[in-house]
């Protein structure tokens, strides 16, 4: 398996909303000042922290099991 396919498989197993926001933040961060990028990142983190997937990920970690993300 190529490096790109391995990375794609790893990302596909992650919480979809979090991955979407990470990609958005990276792309936007390349086009803005550091100060604005920090504010944007903090905003997206707050949004991710309020998702059901975040709660599922935390529960799965504490229960030592694989998370079952639903994109919620």
């Amino acid at each position: 398996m190529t490096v790109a396919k391995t990375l794609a498989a790893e990302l596909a197993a992650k919480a979809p909303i979090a991955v979407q926001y990470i990609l958005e933040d990276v792309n936007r961060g390349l086009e803005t000042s550091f100060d604005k990028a920090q504010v944007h990142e903090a905003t997206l983190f707050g949004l991710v922290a309020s998702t059901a997937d975040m709660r599922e990920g935390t529960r799965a970690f504490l229960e030592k099991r694989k998370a079952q993300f639903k994109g919620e």
Side-chain angles (χ1 to χ4, degrees):
M1 190 177 271
T2 66
V3 174
K5 286 184 180 180
T6 301
L7 179 58
E10 287 179 23
L11 287 174
K14 305 297 181 195
I17 296 171
V19 172
Q20 174 188 342
Y21 287 160
I22 289 167
L23 293 173
E24 177 185 325
D25 199 43
V26 168
N27 288 325
R28 186 170 180 178
L30 295 171
E31 301 170 353
T32 190
S33 70
F34 183 74
D35 292 339
K36 288 181 182 178
Q38 280 186 309
V39 170
H40 188 251
E41 180 182 2
T43 301
L44 293 179
F45 179 80
L47 292 172
V48 167
S50 68
T51 65
D53 279 350
M54 174 73 167
R55 291 186 295 279
E56 165 59 12
T58 301
R59 274 194 305 272
F61 175 79
L62 294 172
E63 296 170 3
K64 298 182 184 342
R65 63 175 172 81
K66 185 176 179 182
Q68 300 296 315
F69 299 117
K70 297 179 181 174
E72 301 172 349

